[in-house]
Every structure is written in structure tokens, then in C-alpha cells.
Amino acid sequence: AFLIDKTGNFWLGQPFGTIKRFDKNSNTLTAYGTENGLPAPTTNEGMVVAFVNYIFEDSRGDIWFAAWDRGISRMNSKEADQSKLFTNFNTQNGLSLNKIRCISEDREGNVLLGTFGNGLSIFKGERFISFNIKDGLINNQVWGILEDRDKKLWFTTNEGLSIYNPSDKVFTNLKNIEGASSNSIRPISADKDGNIWMGTWGSKVIKYDWAKKRFIRDLPVNEVVFNHISCIKVDSKNRVWIGSPVGLTLLDQNSGKITNYTKQDGLSEADITCIFEDSKGTVWFGTRQKGINR
């Protein structure tokens, strides 16, 4: 796992629980966890030790680490006492499942945890509120989380879309959206107009038109993209990047132009797995086996 925090420091998550922070100002590398690679329940600093698969920084500057099959550790950025630096959470103190796939945060500062197969856990203050199919979530396999302009939370899952309204605490669940043959909805991203773009595994791209309040699948971009969509990212220029196992598609919403990119256009690999835009507007593409493209 990898993170650049708000101060520009680099965080590296490694196997067996080792976390390393590179301070760009002092040009120093600090390690947290075991250096010898031996797994243990916790380190001397109190951090959970396991394969670190996700790192997230919240609005308070605290760093969260998902430790594979052992829950999560929160590093308090303001704690000077090394023995109290980490707080650990797992199923014994409120987490719905110890395997965490992704971490996000809503506008109220609640930390959202998507699990591997047991729905969503929400961290409010010092406790968790968990959602799964028993609470109204359409499916326990959560792929993506997005907060819309009305502060509703959208969750993409293997069995469709769940939209949670925090005001009445009710889920709205949707399947076979606009006749989609596949209910496996994975990546999700919103553009500057509030439109929400979703990629499916088997039914291409679905767009929710914010102004018209309706879903649309009859999109020009669906005439050229692959059936299985791995990732979607709307960049700062309001362009929609769509990654799939066979290449990359760019939809320029300003001009309507659609461009496909493959290995013949310079990609090191056509199988695109993730997309990221940095603070300078440069777009980065991760591939399954052939590194990173910029």
C-alpha cells in the first residue's frame, strides 16, 4: 500500500506489518513494525502486524492502516507517547470483519470501511456502526464508496447498487439498472456536475445524470469500451478515464471526443487496474503486470 499525506510524506505498507514513512523535509526514513519480517500480534508501538493492504489519512491527520485479516490500526498524529501511538480495532471491539478492502471519510468526519464480504463499517468517534445485508445493504461485497451532493452514500457491490440516506437511515437498493445484464458494479466516480459514473463487470458503463435524476446506459462511450470495467476516474478537467482488461478509454465531456489507448499507443500493458490524478494534473495508470504509466 502507498500514500502521500497532506504534508508530502510518503507512507509505505509492506508485508508482515512493517510501515515506513519517508520525511521529504528531513530526508529520513522511519520504520514502524517488525524489521525482521517475523509476524507478531502487535509491535512495540502497539500496531497490528499483518500484510498492510491499504493506507488512508483522515481530515484530522491520523493515518489508518488496514492489516490483512487482523483489522485496522489508527496512528494518532498528535500523540507524542510512542506507547500510545497506535489504536487497534478488530471484531473484538466493534469491527464487523477483520479483512478491510478500502477506507474513506464522509463530510462529517466519519471513517468508512469497506470489508471483504461483510458489508460496511462506519467509525463514529470511538465506536463502529456496521452495515451488511441484515441492515439493508444489497450485498456484503463492497467495491466502492461515494458521497453525492445530497450527502447520500453510494455503495457498489457484486449484486447491485445501495444508496444510503443518513437522514432517514434507509437503504435504496437497485439491480439490473437500465436493463444491465450484470449486477456487479465496481468503480465509481463523480464529475463536476454531480453526475456519477460507474463501471460494471459485464455491462460496461452506467451514468447517473444528476440534473435529470435518472440512470443512463445508452452512452456513446459504451459503443467502444470493453464489457468489464476495472476502474473509472473523473479528472480535474472533467474528463472521464475508463480502464479495462483490454485498454484505456478517455471521454472528454467538453468536446464529446472518445479516445481509446492500448499498448500500440504506448501503454506498457493493456490490463488497467487503477487510475490516479496527482496535484499537478498528471494522470497515472496502474497495470496488472507491467508497472505504472503516466
Side-chain angles (χ1 to χ4, degrees):
F2 181 77
L3 172 75
I4 302 177
D5 66 22
K6 296 181 180 68
T7 60
N9 296 322
F10 286 27
W11 294 84
L12 309 172
Q14 300 178 305
F16 304 116
T18 302
I19 299 292
K20 292 184 178 179
R21 180 185 66 188
F22 178 73
D23 189 317
K24 67 172 186 177
N25 295 318
S26 62
N27 201 36
T28 57
L29 192 68
T30 303
Y32 303 93
T34 54
E35 281 296 329
N36 56 10
L38 296 175
T42 59
T43 68
N44 291 334
E45 299 92 356
M47 185 185 72
V48 170
V49 176
F51 190 99
V52 179
N53 63 286
Y54 204 95
I55 308 176
F56 175 77
E57 181 184 16
D58 65 22
S59 58
R60 294 169 290 275
D62 293 344
I63 309 295
W64 297 72
F65 308 98
W68 180 255
D69 202 25
R70 288 188 178 174
I72 57 173
S73 285
R74 180 188 63 188
M75 183 178 183
N76 189 335
S77 60
K78 300 177 179 62
E79 180 58 63
D81 187 345
Q82 292 291 304
S83 65
K84 300 179 181 179
L85 195 60
F86 290 92
T87 304
N88 302 319
F89 302 95
N90 51 45
T91 53
Q92 294 181 352
N93 57 4
L95 201 59
S96 65
L97 192 73
N98 284 336
K99 292 183 178 180
I100 304 301
R101 176 185 290 276
C102 53
I103 309 174
S104 186
E105 184 179 14
D106 66 19
R107 297 178 189 179
E108 297 177 355
N110 302 314
V111 177
L112 314 175
L113 308 174
T115 72
F116 278 86
N118 200 35
L120 173 77
S121 287
I122 300 179
F123 184 74
K124 299 174 74 71
E126 291 300 322
R127 65 189 182 92
F128 282 98
I129 297 175
S130 299
F131 292 115
N132 53 41
I133 56 175
K134 295 180 181 178
D135 305 295
L137 196 67
I138 197 169
N139 182 255
N140 283 338
Q141 183 68 65
V142 178
W143 286 96
I145 306 170
L146 181 140
E147 185 180 28
D148 68 19
R149 289 185 170 184
D150 290 338
K151 296 188 178 181
K152 294 179 181 179
L153 298 172
W154 295 52
F155 304 102
T156 59
T157 80
N158 272 350
E159 291 295 330
L161 178 68
S162 285
I163 303 173
Y164 180 73
N165 188 339
S167 62
D168 57 17
K169 299 181 180 180
V170 172
F171 279 99
T172 299
N173 295 324
L174 302 171
K175 283 190 173 186
N176 303 113
I177 298 173
E178 290 296 305
S181 59
S182 172
N183 283 315
S184 182
I185 307 175
R186 298 193 174 186
I188 184 168
S189 187
D191 64 25
K192 292 182 178 180
D193 300 314
N195 302 316
I196 297 173
W197 298 80
M198 294 167 284
T200 71
W201 199 254
S203 291
K204 302 188 178 184
V205 176
I206 299 173
K207 172 187 174 182
Y208 180 76
D209 190 305
W210 188 260
K212 297 179 180 178
K213 302 297 182 185
R214 60 180 293 259
F215 291 93
I216 303 173
R217 283 187 60 240
D218 186 13
L219 301 165
V221 73
N222 277 338
E223 297 178 6
V224 298
V225 297
F226 191 56
N227 282 338
H228 303 321
I229 306 300
S230 307
C231 44
I232 285 182
K233 171 66 177 178
V234 181
D235 67 17
S236 58
K237 297 179 181 178
N238 217 30
R239 301 178 300 179
V240 184
W241 294 92
I242 304 167
S244 77
V246 299
L248 183 67
T249 300
L250 171 61
L251 166 61
D252 189 328
Q253 294 197 84
N254 301 311
S255 65
K257 183 180 178 181
I258 300 173
T259 308
N260 282 327
Y261 298 99
T262 64
K263 292 175 67 175
Q264 295 178 344
D265 302 294
L267 287 174
S268 63
E269 171 60 55
D271 194 344
I272 307 298
T273 57
C274 54
I275 306 171
F276 173 77
E277 182 184 18
D278 65 24
S279 59
K280 297 179 181 178
T282 302
V283 186
W284 302 74
F285 309 96
T287 70
R288 187 165 298 279
Q289 293 289 343
K290 297 291 180 66
I292 301 172
N293 295 258
R294 182 179 64 182

